[in-house]
């Protein structure tokens, strides 16, 4: 099953690498990835899609929320 995640993160050098590295280290593939600016120049929005079952999605959400640069993680289907 494909899931779309929306992540707000601090607009700092290396923040995207840390998020992508988390996925790579856990063996999760990112299908699509888009980064865009927000109204706050210190914050960027990262939108990505991943494939996996509910257990894998839960693990991804929990681990991504623990990253220092991550401010908010949303999974629109769960909202």
């Amino acid at each position: 099953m494909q899931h779309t995640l929306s992540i707000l993160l601090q607009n700092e050098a290396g923040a995207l690498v840390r998020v992508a590295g988390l996925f790579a280290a856990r063996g999760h593939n990112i299908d699509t990835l888009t980064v865009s600016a927000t109204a706050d120049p210190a914050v960027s929005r990262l939108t990505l899609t991943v494939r996996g079952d509910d257990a894998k999605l839960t693990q991804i959400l929990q681990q991504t929320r623990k990253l220092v640069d991550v401010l908010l993680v949303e999974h629109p289907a769960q909202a």
Side-chain angles (χ1 to χ4, degrees), residues 16-63:
L16 175 60
V17 172
R18 283 187 281 282
V19 173
L22 173 96
F23 281 77
R26 305 300 190 276
H28 304 301
N29 288 329
I30 297 173
D31 293 330
T32 64
L33 178 108
T34 304
V35 180
S36 59
T38 63
D40 182 352
V43 178
S44 294
R45 178 176 302 280
L46 170 63
T47 306
L48 55 86
T49 59
V50 294
R51 294 178 193 261
D53 58 20
D54 289 340
K56 186 181 261 191
L57 176 66
T58 300
Q59 180 185 30
I60 289 170
L61 292 172
Q62 290 174 348
Q63 292 174 343

Side-chain angles (χ1 to χ4, degrees), residues 6-7 10 18-19 24 40 46 53 65-66 70 73-74 77:
S6 177
I7 302 171
Q10 294 176 5
R18 283 187 281 282
V19 173
D40 182 352
L46 170 63
D53 58 20
R65 287 180 176 128
K66 291 180 185 178
V70 172
V73 180
E74 295 179 323

